[in-house]
Amino acid sequence: MSHHQDLVADAQAIFRAAVRGAQADVLLTQTPWTTWAPKPLDQYRRVVVAGMGKAALAMAGMVEQQLGERIAEGAVVVPHGHTQTPPPHCPPPRRIEVLEAGHPVPDEHSVQAARRMLALAEDCGTDDLFLVLISGGGSSLCADFEPPVTLADAQQTFRLLLESGADIHQINTVRKHLSRIGGGRLARAAAPADVLALVISDVVGDDLSVIASGPTVPDPTTFAEAIAVLRRYDLWHRVPDSVRVRLEAGVTDPSLETPKPADPRFARVVTRLIGTNRRALEAAADEARQRGYSVRIITDRLTGEAREVAPRLVTALRDVREDRPVCLLWGGETTVTVRGSGRGGRNQELALAAALAMEGWDAGAVLLSGGTDGRDGPTDAAGAWATPDTAPRARACGMDPRAYLDNNDAYTFFEALEQLLFTGPTHTNVMDVQVGLRR
């Protein structure tokens, strides 16, 4: 690996620059968000804060630093363990309560958090501003359910959806129609107060109604579409009876439907996107240029099966023609169909498939893939990287890369080669970034 070590170091630095470009302190100091409120902040009786998602702790710290005593009260919810590794660039919130809950499957703390957010919303009056901080992960971190659906019923349904191959748009269509907070219901609960929501996107295409199940925006989806998702993935008869009862009731009773764009209660709601994968890629590109690379941002909408996407990225890196070192950047979110019993995540799987595709190259090159939230799948790594030496090194150690890929065991593979990418929780989440470098 020594032949490629300088490229690996550059790739890691470029990835970290991408993450830095999407962190809350950067976003909330570069964005004139206070001007988006329906009226000047000093004209409100109170500012009440609610937040949910992997970036909520950092967002709360920055908002509190900027607003100070104007914040009357508030609460945000983050994944378990996030408070033990506070964001290094953001002050810890003091006036805003920080809760922890389950992700990617809700737990009893998620229910308590949702009830706290709804209580904050319902307590707001006409002269108050309800400030909502939203980022990826909110659908499970802040989740309470309409009867007869229980927490256990929702947990079973969420797990089935996560393992089904459904995309986030489809998964959240179902989640919103079981939820008391998603699909615009949080903003509806705050009426007649003004609502300002700041959103960091972890969804390809940045659809505000999908991110954290869209708690502050009208919901274009319906109960009938939620049922169609479950039927499409053969889950309709596998989910608990209560879920079927709730969804069927929503089809027959229009009053149960999530609020739609014509709902007058959204007249005093402003929802703004402040952080995206594109911003992360632009920050990565700036870092790469400073390091002497010719840079191309290929896309911020990369999707598909990770092991099938990887060879396409490797081919693009191989075929690019430049007279100086080149950096190709991709962003988005791939998927993994789990067939084996190993450990890993979509970024590690992509890197392992890339290692096989790069085998035999005689050029200096690296392809790194990482999750901007610092966690790839159910592992402690953000991702991994591959070079043309990776597969040969593994074979020399008695490891068959193809066998590890077939077993979805990329973590064990890269752990043995010391090619895992570790960042710890980054307190942001704008999906994944792939960095390809070639001399």
Side-chain angles (χ1 to χ4, degrees):
M1 192 170 88
S2 58
H3 177 57
H4 305 280
Q5 191 61 48
D6 56 339
L7 288 176
V8 170
D10 282 352
Q12 291 179 336
I14 293 165
F15 175 80
R16 291 177 188 276
V19 171
R20 188 75 188 100
Q23 288 179 318
D25 61 306
V26 174
L27 298 174
L28 289 170
T29 52
Q30 293 180 350
T31 304
W33 68 270
T34 55
T35 65
W36 292 338
K39 58 187 180 185
L41 295 182
D42 58 8
Q43 294 184 20
Y44 289 104
R45 180 176 67 97
R46 299 186 311 149
V47 176
V48 177
V49 178
M52 64 210 69
K54 296 178 181 177
L57 176 59
M59 294 175 81
M62 288 306 300
V63 163
E64 190 173 295
Q65 183 184 64
Q66 294 168 354
L67 298 188
E69 294 183 357
R70 288 182 184 172
I71 297 174
E73 63 176 323
V76 298
V77 57
V78 297
H80 288 298
H82 267 218
T83 57
Q84 298 170 19
T85 55
H89 306 286
C90 301
R94 303 295 184 191
R95 304 177 71 87
I96 300 170
E97 181 184 9
V98 180
L99 310 172
E100 293 187 340
H103 180 274
V105 176
D107 59 15
E108 63 276 9
H109 300 283
S110 306
V111 173
Q112 294 167 11
R115 292 175 180 175
R116 176 81 168 105
M117 304 306 163
L118 285 168
L120 288 169
E122 291 165 354
D123 191 47
C124 289
T126 303
D127 297 325
D128 294 335
L129 176 66
F130 188 47
L131 178 60
V132 188
L133 311 174
I134 300 170
S135 54
S139 297
S140 66
L141 293 168
C142 192
D144 194 12
F145 308 98
E146 295 286 3
V149 179
T150 66
L151 172 60
D153 296 335
Q155 289 173 327
Q156 182 180 344
T157 303
F158 280 28
R159 289 190 183 100
L160 288 169
L161 284 164
L162 290 168
E163 295 168 359
S164 70
D167 66 29
I168 191 62
H169 295 73
Q170 296 165 324
I171 290 172
N172 282 1
T173 294
V174 178
R175 284 169 160 171
K176 284 184 281 191
H177 288 88
L178 304 179
S179 171
R180 293 184 58 222
I181 199 166
R185 289 188 176 95
L186 182 63
R188 185 173 66 180
D194 285 348
V195 178
L196 173 60
L198 308 177
V199 183
I200 297 177
S201 173
D202 70 330
V203 171
V204 173
D206 303 326
D207 186 334
L208 292 169
S209 72
V210 179
I211 303 161
S213 292
T216 65
V217 294
D219 178 29
T221 69
T222 65
F223 277 97
E225 289 171 333
I227 292 174
V229 170
L230 294 177
R231 290 190 182 279
R232 176 176 177 178
Y233 291 95
D234 296 324
L235 300 179
W236 180 245
H237 294 291
R238 297 178 62 193
V239 298
D241 292 345
S242 65
V243 172
R244 291 194 297 274
V245 168
R246 170 66 186 172
L247 297 181
E248 287 176 332
V251 171
T252 58
D253 184 353
S255 70
L256 299 179
E257 188 56 86
T258 49
K260 303 306 176 192
D263 193 314
R265 283 168 290 195
F266 289 105
R268 298 182 67 176
V269 178
V270 177
T271 302
R272 290 286 186 268
L273 195 64
I274 65 167
T276 63
N277 186 266
R278 171 62 61 167
R279 288 194 69 156
L281 292 176
E282 290 168 352
D286 289 343
E287 179 69 21
R289 290 188 190 101
Q290 292 176 24
R291 291 173 176 266
Y293 290 90
S294 174
V295 182
R296 301 181 191 180
I297 297 177
I298 307 301
T299 185
D300 62 353
R301 299 193 175 197
L302 186 70
T303 59
E305 187 76 16
R307 66 177 62 195
E308 297 171 3
V309 168
R312 300 203 301 268
L313 306 193
V314 171
T315 297
L317 190 60
R318 179 189 290 122
D319 291 347
V320 69
R321 294 291 177 260
E322 288 282 352
D323 294 331
R324 61 194 180 103
V326 65
C327 171
L328 303 187
L329 296 170
W330 299 265
E333 189 168 281
T334 61
T335 55
V336 170
T337 300
V338 178
R339 299 182 179 89
S341 59
R343 291 182 297 163
R346 58 183 180 264
N347 289 287
Q348 295 161 52
E349 181 137 327
L350 190 152
L352 179 48
L356 285 163
M358 298 174 84
E359 192 170 8
W361 275 30
D362 59 1
V366 61
L367 182 66
L368 178 151
S369 185
T372 57
D373 62 353
R375 181 171 180 177
D376 186 31
T379 76
D380 58 351
W385 68 85
T387 73
D389 290 345
T390 297
R393 285 181 61 230
R395 296 185 198 283
C397 297
M399 301 165 61
D400 178 0
R402 175 63 61 181
Y404 281 87
L405 183 61
D406 290 344
N407 195 35
N408 300 114
D409 201 15
Y411 185 97
T412 303
F413 178 85
F414 285 115
E415 183 180 39
L417 297 178
E418 297 184 344
Q419 289 182 213
L420 289 168
L421 175 66
F422 292 103
T423 64
T426 63
H427 297 276
T428 191
N429 183 16
V430 290
M431 300 180 288
D432 304 332
V433 168
Q434 289 78 32
V435 180
L437 303 181
R438 202 196 74 191
R439 289 195 184 89

